[in-house]
Amino acid sequence: MRRIVLPGEKVFDSPREVESCVKDANGTYATEVSVFYDDKVVPLKGVYVPHQGEGIIGIVSNLNFSGYVVDLNSPYPGRLSDQETMEDLQLGDVISVKVQVVTEVNECALIEPQRLSGGDILEVPAVKVPRIIGRNGSMLNTIKEFTGTDVLVGKNGRIYLRNGNVGLAAEAIMKICRESHTSGLTERVTAFLTQNR
Amino acid sequence: MTEKRELIRNGKRANGREDDELRPIKITVGVLDKAQGSCLLEWGKNMVLAGVYGPREVFPKRDVDARKAILVARYVMAPFSGVEGHGRAGPNRRSREISKVAGHVFENVVLTEKFPKTMIEVQMEVLQSDGGTRIAAITAGVLALADAGIPMKDLPCGSGVGTIDEDNKRMVLDLDKYEDNLGKSDIPTILSPRTGEILLYQMDGYLTKEQLLEGLDKVQSKAVPRLREEMARALKEKYGGMAENGGVEQ
Amino acid sequence: MILDEVKEKFIKGVMREGKRTDGRAFDEYRKISVDTEAFPNAEGGAWVKIGETQVAAGVKIDLSTPFPDQPDEGMLSVNAEFSPLAHPDFYPGPPKPESIELARVVDRGIRSAESIDLKKLFVKENKVLGVFIDLYVLNHSGNLIDAAALAAMAALNKARLPKIEDDKIVYGEYTGQLPIARSVVTTTFEKIEGQIILDANDHEEVASEARFTLGTGDGDKFASAQKSGNGGFTRGEFEYLLDTALEKGRELRKLV
């Protein structure tokens, strides 16, 4: 049974280490407006903070003498050394990239950049990404299948869409974001895609 | 000539409320599309619009803190917010002080260590005022923070409490503007409901220790539960309260 | 800002196909709502929404001394605040040129059209009533000027005159409505790669090379004009603006 919980609301009667929670002597409490189910607390909103190993989509926002500063749709910028890139990048270039390492102050170094072109960017809250991908990628595959669109989902909430019915793919993704806290979502999204194909 | 408004009529509060009764409260979150989180709060005739930006890059850069997010709270009153004459646009000494103590409430509950080197801004615009505006503004700010998905360990809330009779003995909750101007004392109070700790406390008046404790108990037992209910309703409204049964997607 | 360039490219791409990102026609306004009950403490008030853009206007009427060169006339003052609530780029501080421009453009429309007969605000020697309009930008999703002008006019049309006793204002008591002779609204156009659109959203404004605002009043006359931005307008384009402003102005004035 899913339930919406609020900051300061008790989710367990004893102190436990749980993501997106704090604890005191009397129990464990949610820290954000979240969905609580399966003993997990999943926030419904929030900014993206980079973590090691994550695949994300960035936009080159600045150049300095050793490389590039990349906007990650986050309060924290990423740095890409020009040793890592085969080609020269321009301001405004969209790249898929991986987080190599993150410092204590959440700044990160990026590797394996690949320039993306010919498509459109969609930005969604990073917390919605697991829902958009679905269990074992099932939700994402459904979208790709029905729309014929190449969909690249960055963990930072940036999504690159190219070819096929981009508009329909984008609408399906927005629908998932709006209804991410409910269940039965896969069926509804599949129905939506079928109707509007 | 306008007669002096009386605060007590036939033994009851002139505005018709019980001693422990709060004014009607109406809350909506997510009303602005640019701010990360926002809240429109109407408390009696007060109307406050709060918005949150952040965590984001610090500006000006020299204020950056490598260990945590800096929290900037701004309380401002619109020149058309009061019934009296045209006010000045922008902050004055009173609003600067309120901005400071409001910031202390937010700083206590927001988990700022999760976002070092960033800034979280809470802007509170008082569009209409009728007494108890700082409580209304801080409540709206807390809800805007929750709406923005900024992690907090609690949702602070409270109300004003004070004496309105000539003998300085009768304590009532949530004084409106007339009760505040013509009454004997007003104590805006905000607590962290989970721990019961006092996060905001200011006082105008001359009262005994027993009275201060009486006031605190009233806020804790009568105002806080009512506020928690309203705040929970507003935050859950967007999500239909309960998400239905069904298979897990993850 | 780099992200602005990304937005600009996207908008221009869509417009080259003759479309707008939200599916509107080039001369179509977003959904408009006007609430004149929002600010009862003010003498007059209005909360206007055009799409996601939100602007509030409050009218306060107070006793004032007249300008020395107009001793028998009341005062009109229009001020604009761009609240930090409204956009990530808005910070507190002295008014930016955009906010000063907005206030002055709205002011000129009301003043030139003589919406308020300032002579009717004379109280006695050296005492007049001052009408103070405060425009509060609460959310910036484009076209702040039209929203602000609409809010100011709607607030004025509902404004009440405060009661005066013994040369002092009795706050909270009123003696009738502020006399308004005619209504004025504005219509703002943006030019993007030779194409002209009405009621731009904030992304479209980023892509714009020039802007033209025209204020129109009852009787199909123009009360104000302001061209902004580095680009230019041809005479043919100008005629289109004049005709469209008159047409749209008539529709907008029905809302105030």
Side-chain angles (χ1 to χ4, degrees), chain C residues 181-236:
Chain C
R182 63 189 61 82
S183 290
V184 185
V185 296
T186 61
T187 308
T188 300
F189 304 86
E190 303 283 345
K191 183 170 168 180
I192 300 175
E193 287 187 335
Q195 303 194 80
I196 295 182
I197 54 175
L198 251 181
D199 186 30
N201 62 36
D202 59 303
H203 297 310
E204 290 169 327
E205 282 182 357
V206 166
S208 165
E209 48 215 51
R211 164 188 296 171
F212 215 114
T213 298
L214 285 162
T216 53
D218 300 327
D220 273 5
K221 289 174 105 149
F222 292 94
S224 68
Q226 179 91 346
K227 182 243 168 234
S228 195
N230 301 336
F233 287 89
T234 66
R235 193 184 188 289

Short mmCIF file of all heavy atoms in Angstrom, two decimals, chain C residues 181-236:
data_model
loop_
_atom_site.label_atom_id
_atom_site.label_comp_id
_atom_site.label_asym_id
_atom_site.label_seq_id
_atom_site.Cartn_x
_atom_site.Cartn_y
_atom_site.Cartn_z
N ALA C 181 -12.30 57.92 -16.47
CA ALA C 181 -12.91 58.40 -17.71
C ALA C 181 -12.84 57.36 -18.83
O ALA C 181 -13.77 57.22 -19.60
CB ALA C 181 -12.22 59.69 -18.15
N ARG C 182 -11.74 56.67 -18.93
CA ARG C 182 -11.63 55.65 -19.99
C ARG C 182 -10.57 54.62 -19.63
O ARG C 182 -9.72 54.87 -18.79
CB ARG C 182 -11.31 56.29 -21.35
CG ARG C 182 -9.99 57.02 -21.44
CD ARG C 182 -9.91 57.78 -22.76
NE ARG C 182 -10.97 58.77 -22.84
CZ ARG C 182 -10.92 59.96 -22.28
NH1 ARG C 182 -9.84 60.34 -21.63
NH2 ARG C 182 -11.95 60.80 -22.38
N SER C 183 -10.66 53.46 -20.25
CA SER C 183 -9.71 52.38 -19.96
C SER C 183 -8.63 52.30 -21.02
O SER C 183 -8.87 52.59 -22.19
CB SER C 183 -10.45 51.04 -19.92
OG SER C 183 -11.26 50.96 -18.80
N VAL C 184 -7.43 51.91 -20.58
CA VAL C 184 -6.29 51.76 -21.50
C VAL C 184 -5.66 50.40 -21.24
O VAL C 184 -5.56 49.98 -20.09
CB VAL C 184 -5.21 52.82 -21.20
CG1 VAL C 184 -4.10 52.75 -22.20
CG2 VAL C 184 -5.82 54.21 -21.16
N VAL C 185 -5.26 49.71 -22.30
CA VAL C 185 -4.52 48.45 -22.14
C VAL C 185 -3.34 48.48 -23.09
O VAL C 185 -3.25 49.37 -23.94
CB VAL C 185 -5.40 47.22 -22.48
CG1 VAL C 185 -6.56 47.10 -21.52
CG2 VAL C 185 -5.88 47.28 -23.91
N THR C 186 -2.42 47.53 -22.97
CA THR C 186 -1.30 47.47 -23.91
C THR C 186 -1.30 46.15 -24.65
O THR C 186 -1.85 45.15 -24.18
CB THR C 186 0.07 47.61 -23.21
OG1 THR C 186 0.24 46.53 -22.29
CG2 THR C 186 0.20 48.93 -22.49
N THR C 187 -0.67 46.18 -25.84
CA THR C 187 -0.48 44.97 -26.64
C THR C 187 1.00 44.94 -27.00
O THR C 187 1.51 45.90 -27.57
CB THR C 187 -1.31 45.06 -27.93
OG1 THR C 187 -2.65 45.38 -27.59
CG2 THR C 187 -1.30 43.74 -28.66
N THR C 188 1.69 43.85 -26.65
CA THR C 188 3.13 43.79 -26.86
C THR C 188 3.50 42.73 -27.90
O THR C 188 3.04 41.59 -27.83
CB THR C 188 3.86 43.50 -25.53
OG1 THR C 188 3.57 44.53 -24.63
CG2 THR C 188 5.36 43.42 -25.74
N PHE C 189 4.31 43.14 -28.87
CA PHE C 189 4.74 42.27 -29.97
C PHE C 189 6.23 41.99 -29.87
O PHE C 189 7.00 42.85 -29.46
CB PHE C 189 4.50 42.96 -31.32
CG PHE C 189 3.09 43.40 -31.55
CD1 PHE C 189 2.66 44.64 -31.09
CD2 PHE C 189 2.20 42.60 -32.24
CE1 PHE C 189 1.35 45.06 -31.31
CE2 PHE C 189 0.90 43.03 -32.48
CZ PHE C 189 0.47 44.26 -32.01
N GLU C 190 6.64 40.78 -30.27
CA GLU C 190 8.07 40.45 -30.35
C GLU C 190 8.38 40.05 -31.79
O GLU C 190 7.56 39.40 -32.44
CB GLU C 190 8.44 39.28 -29.43
CG GLU C 190 8.09 39.47 -27.97
CD GLU C 190 9.05 40.38 -27.20
OE1 GLU C 190 10.16 40.66 -27.69
OE2 GLU C 190 8.67 40.83 -26.10
N LYS C 191 9.57 40.43 -32.24
CA LYS C 191 9.97 40.08 -33.61
C LYS C 191 11.09 39.06 -33.56
O LYS C 191 12.13 39.29 -32.90
CB LYS C 191 10.43 41.34 -34.34
CG LYS C 191 10.80 41.10 -35.79
CD LYS C 191 11.01 42.43 -36.49
CE LYS C 191 11.67 42.20 -37.84
NZ LYS C 191 11.90 43.47 -38.55
N ILE C 192 10.88 37.92 -34.23
CA ILE C 192 11.89 36.85 -34.23
C ILE C 192 12.12 36.44 -35.68
O ILE C 192 11.21 35.95 -36.33
CB ILE C 192 11.39 35.62 -33.43
CG1 ILE C 192 11.10 36.03 -31.98
CG2 ILE C 192 12.41 34.50 -33.48
CD1 ILE C 192 10.48 34.93 -31.15
N GLU C 193 13.33 36.67 -36.18
CA GLU C 193 13.70 36.32 -37.56
C GLU C 193 12.62 36.77 -38.55
O GLU C 193 12.13 35.99 -39.36
CB GLU C 193 13.90 34.81 -37.69
CG GLU C 193 15.20 34.38 -37.04
CD GLU C 193 15.52 32.91 -37.28
OE1 GLU C 193 14.60 32.10 -37.53
OE2 GLU C 193 16.72 32.59 -37.24
N GLY C 194 12.22 38.03 -38.46
CA GLY C 194 11.27 38.58 -39.42
C GLY C 194 9.82 38.22 -39.17
O GLY C 194 8.93 38.72 -39.85
N GLN C 195 9.56 37.37 -38.18
CA GLN C 195 8.16 37.03 -37.89
C GLN C 195 7.74 37.72 -36.60
O GLN C 195 8.52 37.87 -35.68
CB GLN C 195 8.02 35.52 -37.74
CG GLN C 195 8.51 34.79 -38.97
CD GLN C 195 8.06 33.35 -38.95
OE1 GLN C 195 6.93 33.06 -39.28
NE2 GLN C 195 8.95 32.47 -38.54
N ILE C 196 6.45 38.15 -36.56
CA ILE C 196 5.99 38.91 -35.40
C ILE C 196 4.96 38.10 -34.63
O ILE C 196 4.00 37.59 -35.21
CB ILE C 196 5.38 40.25 -35.85
CG1 ILE C 196 6.50 41.10 -36.48
CG2 ILE C 196 4.77 40.99 -34.66
CD1 ILE C 196 6.06 42.46 -36.92
N ILE C 197 5.17 37.99 -33.32
CA ILE C 197 4.21 37.27 -32.47
C ILE C 197 3.71 38.18 -31.37
O ILE C 197 4.37 39.14 -30.98
CB ILE C 197 4.82 36.01 -31.83
CG1 ILE C 197 6.11 36.36 -31.07
CG2 ILE C 197 5.08 34.94 -32.86
CD1 ILE C 197 6.69 35.17 -30.31
N LEU C 198 2.53 37.82 -30.84
CA LEU C 198 1.88 38.53 -29.74
C LEU C 198 2.02 37.70 -28.47
O LEU C 198 2.01 36.47 -28.55
CB LEU C 198 0.38 38.60 -30.03
CG LEU C 198 -0.22 39.93 -30.42
CD1 LEU C 198 -1.71 39.74 -30.63
CD2 LEU C 198 0.00 40.93 -29.31
N ASP C 199 2.07 38.36 -27.32
CA ASP C 199 2.07 37.65 -26.04
C ASP C 199 3.12 36.54 -26.02
O ASP C 199 2.80 35.35 -25.92
CB ASP C 199 0.68 37.05 -25.78
CG ASP C 199 0.59 36.42 -24.39
OD1 ASP C 199 1.29 36.90 -23.48
OD2 ASP C 199 -0.13 35.42 -24.24
N ALA C 200 4.39 36.93 -26.13
CA ALA C 200 5.47 35.95 -26.11
C ALA C 200 5.60 35.36 -24.71
O ALA C 200 5.44 36.06 -23.71
CB ALA C 200 6.77 36.63 -26.49
N ASN C 201 5.92 34.05 -24.65
CA ASN C 201 6.27 33.49 -23.34
C ASN C 201 7.75 33.78 -23.10
O ASN C 201 8.43 34.35 -23.96
CB ASN C 201 5.94 32.00 -23.25
CG ASN C 201 6.70 31.16 -24.26
OD1 ASN C 201 7.86 31.44 -24.56
ND2 ASN C 201 6.06 30.13 -24.79
N ASP C 202 8.27 33.42 -21.93
CA ASP C 202 9.63 33.87 -21.60
C ASP C 202 10.69 33.24 -22.49
O ASP C 202 11.73 33.86 -22.75
CB ASP C 202 9.94 33.66 -20.10
CG ASP C 202 9.82 32.22 -19.69
OD1 ASP C 202 8.74 31.63 -19.88
OD2 ASP C 202 10.82 31.68 -19.17
N HIS C 203 10.46 32.03 -23.01
CA HIS C 203 11.43 31.44 -23.93
C HIS C 203 11.46 32.21 -25.24
O HIS C 203 12.51 32.47 -25.82
CB HIS C 203 11.08 29.98 -24.23
CG HIS C 203 11.12 29.10 -23.02
ND1 HIS C 203 12.19 29.07 -22.14
CD2 HIS C 203 10.23 28.24 -22.51
CE1 HIS C 203 11.95 28.22 -21.18
NE2 HIS C 203 10.77 27.69 -21.37
N GLU C 204 10.26 32.58 -25.73
CA GLU C 204 10.19 33.34 -26.98
C GLU C 204 10.85 34.70 -26.81
O GLU C 204 11.50 35.21 -27.71
CB GLU C 204 8.72 33.49 -27.42
CG GLU C 204 8.10 32.16 -27.90
CD GLU C 204 6.60 32.21 -28.09
OE1 GLU C 204 5.92 32.95 -27.34
OE2 GLU C 204 6.10 31.50 -28.98
N GLU C 205 10.72 35.30 -25.63
CA GLU C 205 11.35 36.60 -25.40
C GLU C 205 12.86 36.49 -25.51
O GLU C 205 13.53 37.40 -25.99
CB GLU C 205 10.96 37.14 -24.01
CG GLU C 205 9.56 37.74 -24.00
CD GLU C 205 9.17 38.32 -22.65
OE1 GLU C 205 9.96 38.22 -21.69
OE2 GLU C 205 8.06 38.88 -22.56
N VAL C 206 13.43 35.36 -25.05
CA VAL C 206 14.88 35.17 -25.14
C VAL C 206 15.32 35.19 -26.60
O VAL C 206 16.39 35.70 -26.94
CB VAL C 206 15.27 33.82 -24.48
CG1 VAL C 206 16.69 33.43 -24.84
CG2 VAL C 206 15.13 33.92 -22.97
N ALA C 207 14.48 34.65 -27.50
CA ALA C 207 14.83 34.55 -28.92
C ALA C 207 14.53 35.84 -29.69
O ALA C 207 14.91 35.99 -30.84
CB ALA C 207 14.06 33.40 -29.56
N SER C 208 13.87 36.80 -29.03
CA SER C 208 13.40 37.99 -29.74
C SER C 208 14.52 38.98 -30.03
O SER C 208 15.42 39.17 -29.21
CB SER C 208 12.31 38.67 -28.91
OG SER C 208 12.08 39.98 -29.38
N GLU C 209 14.43 39.65 -31.20
CA GLU C 209 15.43 40.67 -31.51
C GLU C 209 14.89 42.09 -31.28
O GLU C 209 15.65 43.03 -31.18
CB GLU C 209 15.92 40.54 -32.95
CG GLU C 209 14.78 40.39 -33.92
CD GLU C 209 15.10 39.46 -35.09
OE1 GLU C 209 15.56 38.31 -34.85
OE2 GLU C 209 14.87 39.88 -36.23
N ALA C 210 13.56 42.22 -31.21
CA ALA C 210 12.99 43.55 -30.96
C ALA C 210 11.58 43.42 -30.43
O ALA C 210 10.89 42.44 -30.72
CB ALA C 210 12.97 44.38 -32.25
N ARG C 211 11.16 44.43 -29.67
CA ARG C 211 9.83 44.39 -29.07
C ARG C 211 9.11 45.70 -29.32
O ARG C 211 9.75 46.76 -29.41
CB ARG C 211 9.97 44.20 -27.57
CG ARG C 211 8.70 44.52 -26.76
CD ARG C 211 8.95 44.51 -25.27
NE ARG C 211 9.33 43.17 -24.86
CZ ARG C 211 9.77 42.88 -23.65
NH1 ARG C 211 9.92 43.83 -22.75
NH2 ARG C 211 10.08 41.65 -23.34
N PHE C 212 7.79 45.66 -29.48
CA PHE C 212 7.00 46.88 -29.62
C PHE C 212 5.75 46.77 -28.77
O PHE C 212 5.00 45.81 -28.89
CB PHE C 212 6.59 47.08 -31.09
CG PHE C 212 6.57 48.52 -31.50
CD1 PHE C 212 7.47 48.99 -32.46
CD2 PHE C 212 5.66 49.42 -30.94
CE1 PHE C 212 7.46 50.32 -32.84
CE2 PHE C 212 5.66 50.76 -31.31
CZ PHE C 212 6.56 51.21 -32.26
N THR C 213 5.56 47.74 -27.89
CA THR C 213 4.35 47.78 -27.06
C THR C 213 3.51 48.96 -27.48
O THR C 213 4.02 50.07 -27.61
CB THR C 213 4.72 47.95 -25.57
OG1 THR C 213 5.49 46.82 -25.15
CG2 THR C 213 3.46 48.05 -24.71
N LEU C 214 2.21 48.72 -27.69
CA LEU C 214 1.31 49.82 -28.05
C LEU C 214 0.16 49.85 -27.06
O LEU C 214 -0.49 48.83 -26.83
CB LEU C 214 0.75 49.61 -29.46
CG LEU C 214 1.75 49.90 -30.59
CD1 LEU C 214 1.29 49.27 -31.88
CD2 LEU C 214 1.92 51.41 -30.76
N GLY C 215 -0.09 51.04 -26.49
CA GLY C 215 -1.21 51.20 -25.57
C GLY C 215 -2.39 51.77 -26.33
O GLY C 215 -2.23 52.71 -27.10
N THR C 216 -3.56 51.17 -26.14
CA THR C 216 -4.75 51.68 -26.84
C THR C 216 -5.88 51.92 -25.85
O THR C 216 -6.00 51.24 -24.84
CB THR C 216 -5.26 50.66 -27.89
OG1 THR C 216 -5.44 49.40 -27.23
CG2 THR C 216 -4.26 50.50 -29.02
N GLY C 217 -6.72 52.93 -26.20
CA GLY C 217 -7.81 53.27 -25.30
C GLY C 217 -9.13 53.33 -26.06
O GLY C 217 -9.17 53.18 -27.29
N ASP C 218 -10.21 53.55 -25.32
CA ASP C 218 -11.53 53.67 -25.94
C ASP C 218 -11.48 54.70 -27.05
O ASP C 218 -10.80 55.72 -26.94
CB ASP C 218 -12.56 54.11 -24.89
CG ASP C 218 -12.65 53.11 -23.74
OD1 ASP C 218 -12.46 51.92 -23.99
OD2 ASP C 218 -12.88 53.54 -22.60
N GLY C 219 -12.24 54.47 -28.13
CA GLY C 219 -12.23 55.40 -29.25
C GLY C 219 -11.16 55.06 -30.26
O GLY C 219 -10.83 55.86 -31.13
N ASP C 220 -10.57 53.85 -30.14
CA ASP C 220 -9.56 53.40 -31.10
C ASP C 220 -8.40 54.37 -31.24
O ASP C 220 -7.97 54.70 -32.35
CB ASP C 220 -10.22 53.19 -32.48
CG ASP C 220 -10.78 51.78 -32.59
OD1 ASP C 220 -10.73 51.05 -31.57
OD2 ASP C 220 -11.25 51.41 -33.66
N LYS C 221 -7.94 54.89 -30.13
CA LYS C 221 -6.78 55.79 -30.18
C LYS C 221 -5.62 55.16 -29.42
O LYS C 221 -5.80 54.31 -28.55
CB LYS C 221 -7.14 57.13 -29.56
CG LYS C 221 -8.10 57.92 -30.45
CD LYS C 221 -8.56 59.17 -29.76
CE LYS C 221 -7.89 60.40 -30.33
NZ LYS C 221 -8.78 61.56 -30.22
N PHE C 222 -4.41 55.63 -29.77
CA PHE C 222 -3.21 55.11 -29.13
C PHE C 222 -2.80 56.01 -27.98
O PHE C 222 -2.76 57.23 -28.13
CB PHE C 222 -2.07 55.01 -30.15
CG PHE C 222 -2.34 53.95 -31.19
CD1 PHE C 222 -2.94 54.30 -32.39
CD2 PHE C 222 -2.05 52.61 -30.93
CE1 PHE C 222 -3.22 53.32 -33.34
CE2 PHE C 222 -2.32 51.64 -31.88
CZ PHE C 222 -2.91 51.98 -33.08
N ALA C 223 -2.52 55.42 -26.82
CA ALA C 223 -2.18 56.21 -25.64
C ALA C 223 -0.70 56.11 -25.30
O ALA C 223 -0.19 56.89 -24.51
CB ALA C 223 -3.01 55.74 -24.45
N SER C 224 -0.02 55.10 -25.82
CA SER C 224 1.41 55.00 -25.51
C SER C 224 2.06 54.10 -26.55
O SER C 224 1.39 53.31 -27.21
CB SER C 224 1.64 54.41 -24.11
OG SER C 224 1.23 53.06 -24.08
N ALA C 225 3.38 54.26 -26.68
CA ALA C 225 4.13 53.40 -27.60
C ALA C 225 5.54 53.26 -27.07
O ALA C 225 6.12 54.22 -26.54
CB ALA C 225 4.16 54.01 -29.00
N GLN C 226 6.10 52.04 -27.17
CA GLN C 226 7.48 51.83 -26.72
C GLN C 226 8.11 50.74 -27.58
O GLN C 226 7.65 49.61 -27.59
CB GLN C 226 7.50 51.40 -25.25
CG GLN C 226 8.88 51.15 -24.69
CD GLN C 226 9.48 52.40 -24.05
OE1 GLN C 226 9.00 53.49 -24.25
NE2 GLN C 226 10.53 52.20 -23.28
N LYS C 227 9.20 51.12 -28.25
CA LYS C 227 9.95 50.11 -29.00
C LYS C 227 11.21 49.80 -28.21
O LYS C 227 11.85 50.69 -27.67
CB LYS C 227 10.27 50.63 -30.41
CG LYS C 227 11.01 49.61 -31.24
CD LYS C 227 12.39 50.11 -31.61
CE LYS C 227 13.24 48.99 -32.19
NZ LYS C 227 14.53 48.85 -31.48
N SER C 228 11.56 48.53 -28.12
CA SER C 228 12.66 48.09 -27.26
C SER C 228 13.48 47.05 -28.01
O SER C 228 12.99 46.46 -28.97
CB SER C 228 12.01 47.48 -26.01
OG SER C 228 12.91 47.34 -24.99
N GLY C 229 14.75 46.84 -27.61
CA GLY C 229 15.54 45.80 -28.26
C GLY C 229 16.31 46.37 -29.45
O GLY C 229 16.01 47.44 -29.96
N ASN C 230 17.34 45.59 -29.89
CA ASN C 230 18.27 46.10 -30.90
C ASN C 230 17.77 46.03 -32.33
O ASN C 230 18.25 46.76 -33.19
CB ASN C 230 19.60 45.33 -30.81
CG ASN C 230 20.22 45.47 -29.43
OD1 ASN C 230 19.94 46.43 -28.72
ND2 ASN C 230 21.04 44.52 -29.06
N GLY C 231 16.80 45.15 -32.62
CA GLY C 231 16.34 45.01 -34.00
C GLY C 231 15.47 46.18 -34.43
O GLY C 231 15.16 47.06 -33.64
N GLY C 232 15.05 46.18 -35.70
CA GLY C 232 14.22 47.26 -36.22
C GLY C 232 12.89 46.76 -36.76
O GLY C 232 12.69 45.56 -36.94
N PHE C 233 11.95 47.68 -37.00
CA PHE C 233 10.65 47.33 -37.59
C PHE C 233 10.47 48.13 -38.86
O PHE C 233 10.74 49.33 -38.90
CB PHE C 233 9.50 47.69 -36.63
CG PHE C 233 9.39 46.77 -35.44
CD1 PHE C 233 10.10 47.05 -34.28
CD2 PHE C 233 8.60 45.64 -35.49
CE1 PHE C 233 10.02 46.20 -33.18
CE2 PHE C 233 8.50 44.79 -34.39
CZ PHE C 233 9.21 45.06 -33.24
N THR C 234 9.97 47.47 -39.93
CA THR C 234 9.73 48.17 -41.18
C THR C 234 8.39 48.89 -41.09
O THR C 234 7.57 48.62 -40.21
CB THR C 234 9.65 47.18 -42.36
OG1 THR C 234 8.49 46.35 -42.16
CG2 THR C 234 10.89 46.31 -42.43
N ARG C 235 8.14 49.80 -42.08
CA ARG C 235 6.88 50.54 -42.07
C ARG C 235 5.70 49.58 -42.23
O ARG C 235 4.67 49.74 -41.59
CB ARG C 235 6.85 51.57 -43.20
CG ARG C 235 5.72 52.55 -43.04
CD ARG C 235 5.65 53.50 -44.23
NE ARG C 235 4.71 54.56 -44.00
CZ ARG C 235 3.38 54.39 -43.98
NH1 ARG C 235 2.87 53.20 -44.20
NH2 ARG C 235 2.58 55.41 -43.78
N GLY C 236 5.88 48.58 -43.11
CA GLY C 236 4.81 47.60 -43.32
C GLY C 236 4.51 46.85 -42.04
O GLY C 236 3.34 46.64 -41.66
#
